[in-house]
Amino acid sequence: MRPEVNGERLLRRLSDFAEIGKTKAGGVNRQALSSEDRAARRLLADLVTARGFNVFQDAIANLFVRREGRDATRPAMLIGSHLDSQPTGGRFDGALGTLAAFEVLEALEDADHETASAIEVVAWTNEEGSRFAPGVMGSMAFVGAAHPDDFRSVVSGDGESFGQELAATLAALPEATMRPLGTPISAYLELHIEQGPSLEREGLAAGVVTAVQGTRWLAVTFSGSAGHAGTTSLAYRRDPMVAATSALNRLQMSIMPQDDDARLTVGRFSTHPGSINAIPDHVTFTVDIRHPDALSLAAIEARIRAVCEEAALSQRCSVEISTSFDMPPGSFSKVMTDRIETAARALALPYKHMISGAFHDALFVSRVAPTAMIFVPCRDGVSHNETEYVEPAHAINGARLLLAATLESVCSLLVIV
Ligand SMILES: [Zn+2]
């Protein structure tokens, strides 16, 4: 019997998981290592136990579901994504990739299909980075780019420490066998929603992702001198708000208008003391910059630093800029993208090659194993939003493509080995 995706089951699982952390507007708030995240892990673990698969976790609470293959000594093929969400997130970002991967295991089990090596599903810890920055902590720790101890003292906006929440999350799943970080894998495939509009507009079923653009996060703090809004005349002001807004205006008018591939976003902005009738003494904002080319990304950061220094000087203020996250651009494995294309052709699913604008765990995993991603269309390209929506047919076709590409890879990689 040929393994087949059970579309109805996949859609049911998607709506079951969307109940966990459900928001009024129909999205989810299931931030990393929260009680909602733990509830989603619990549900997955219960499904795993019911199907007779084995569940594992590592020191950063990456969750693995293993279906054994013929040869237990060979490294497993890994598929999956993440279960955490943005605070006002959608029900498909991450969940679709994780549950489609689980559907692959169930489809294989239903068909009693033996694979040459084990296949494992992974749910990476803290992909989003909204509650504990930075994002993709789980995959960074998995590939050795960071250690869980590096993040233990990170505190969330609700005052919880990463270390404590990590310990509570690990303890909440006692049936999961602990395994070392970075257990070897033969390859990694991740299915994800596009988070952009191009597949939907072009009427395509899938994107074969060949590369991911680089991302850097900066924290910028302008410091000046607090003063009375009514009595401090212009000559006596050292106003960090004037410096910050003029710097931002210059950057927003130049960086993206001059380079179609560049992205610059200021998502957080705060002042201290934040009083209506006082000149602030500090103004802080975050900057998220992205580019597919490493040198261009570095040039954008250098320009931000230079413009901020100039703006600070012009207001007799000072500025400090720190980098909190730096993910270089990366390319995926040609072997793996070829496997996805072979599978897409076999299923007659129209596709195109794409570069991912968002970062993903797959980018770090590509450092240790042949890796690629599959994108499926989402309505109007909307993501990180409670209205995020994926047509049932696109979700099911994505899972079918993941299943076919996984089988293609398990066989082919073993031949290569
Ligand atoms: Zn995601």
Side-chain angles (χ1 to χ4, degrees), residues 79 82 96 113 135 156 162 210 278 290 297 321 331 347 384:
I79 52 178
H82 59 98
L96 175 62
H113 183 98
S156 67
F162 180 83
T210 57
R290 304 189 189 214
L297 193 62
I321 302 178
S331 314
L347 294 169
H384 285 193

Side-chain angles (χ1 to χ4, degrees), residues 212-229:
V212 179
Q213 66 181 357
T215 302
R216 274 186 208 182
W217 289 355
L218 310 176
V220 181
T221 301
F222 283 93
S223 301
S225 179
H228 193 292

